[in-house]
Amino acid sequence: MRLSLHHAADLCPLSSCQEANQPKTQTVQGSALSHWPVQIKLVPPTAPFLKNANLLVVADCTPLAYPNFHQDFLQGKVVMMGCPKFDDVQEYVQKFTDIFSTDNINSVTTVVMEVPCCAGLPWIVKQAMEKAGKNIPLAERVIGVRGNLLK
């Protein structure tokens, strides 16, 4: 499915009406969130939870689109989230440059949606690593608009 940046998409279920009406059993799991705040703009580069962290940098939409976000991505990681389309890209590059320069980050995982505006987030992280002179292991994950893991 290809989405335009300027048009909304109707995410109708892929299954039939009969399947959609079948009761589902969900198991409730606790939150894997280990710190606060989580917004990129609000996390200071001096935050103690950043020291020696495995950093998870996610686009704002991903935790809503991917049903098992806490279980599959957040466990054991420090999360920072924002929107590369609506937030200040240069501010983000500088924030991550400061973090990579001072906090001895162990690894970085980016999680973005498949839509074009999300592609900026991994680019921001890579730019910041370059500016900080760091080569931190980086994994990139992409979530489809229907909530499936694409990459």
Side-chain angles (χ1 to χ4, degrees), residues 32 34-35 54-56 72-79 107 109:
S34 63
H35 62 90
N54 292 307
L55 190 58
L56 180 65
D72 293 353
F73 295 116
L74 191 54
Q75 295 270 340
K77 293 195 172 70
V78 168
V79 66
S107 68
T109 301

Side-chain angles (χ1 to χ4, degrees), residues 20-51:
N21 287 323
Q22 293 298 314
K24 304 252 188 230
T25 302
Q26 293 183 339
T27 57
V28 178
Q29 297 180 359
S31 173
L33 185 63
S34 63
H35 62 90
W36 196 260
V38 297
Q39 285 293 323
I40 295 168
K41 286 183 168 203
L42 299 177
V43 175
T46 58
F49 53 79
L50 290 171
K51 297 290 182 210

Side-chain angles (χ1 to χ4, degrees), residues 71-92:
Q71 178 183 352
D72 293 353
F73 295 116
L74 191 54
Q75 295 270 340
K77 293 195 172 70
V78 168
V79 66
M80 293 177 71
M81 63 189 304
C83 179
K85 181 177 180 176
F86 293 118
D87 295 340
D88 184 329
V89 170
Q90 289 310 312
E91 180 183 336
Y92 277 12

Side-chain angles (χ1 to χ4, degrees), residues 1-12 61 65 85 112-118 142-148 150:
M1 169 189 270
R2 187 177 184 125
L3 295 179
S4 168
L5 287 175
H6 303 290
H7 296 93
D10 183 4
L11 300 178
C12 295
C61 300
K85 181 177 180 176
V112 298
M113 298 299 295
E114 70 177 316
V115 295
C117 54
C118 269
V142 179
I143 307 298
V145 295
R146 293 192 181 276
N148 53 322
L150 300 176

Side-chain angles (χ1 to χ4, degrees), residues 45-147:
T46 58
F49 53 79
L50 290 171
K51 297 290 182 210
N52 303 309
N54 292 307
L55 190 58
L56 180 65
V57 181
V58 302
D60 286 337
C61 300
T62 57
L64 293 172
Y66 191 75
N68 293 323
F69 182 83
H70 281 247
Q71 178 183 352
D72 293 353
F73 295 116
L74 191 54
Q75 295 270 340
K77 293 195 172 70
V78 168
V79 66
M80 293 177 71
M81 63 189 304
C83 179
K85 181 177 180 176
F86 293 118
D87 295 340
D88 184 329
V89 170
Q90 289 310 312
E91 180 183 336
Y92 277 12
V93 170
Q94 188 57 54
K95 173 78 62 116
F96 286 112
T97 299
D98 294 343
I99 289 169
F100 297 149
S101 295
T102 61
D103 290 310
N104 196 34
I105 299 298
N106 292 324
S107 68
V108 180
T109 301
T110 60
V111 183
V112 298
M113 298 299 295
E114 70 177 316
V115 295
C117 54
C118 269
L121 202 53
W123 180 87
I124 288 166
V125 169
K126 289 173 188 172
Q127 289 297 305
M129 280 189 205
E130 188 175 306
K131 283 182 73 175
K134 299 288 183 167
N135 187 14
I136 301 166
L138 174 64
E140 298 179 35
R141 302 290 181 258
V142 179
I143 307 298
V145 295
R146 293 192 181 276

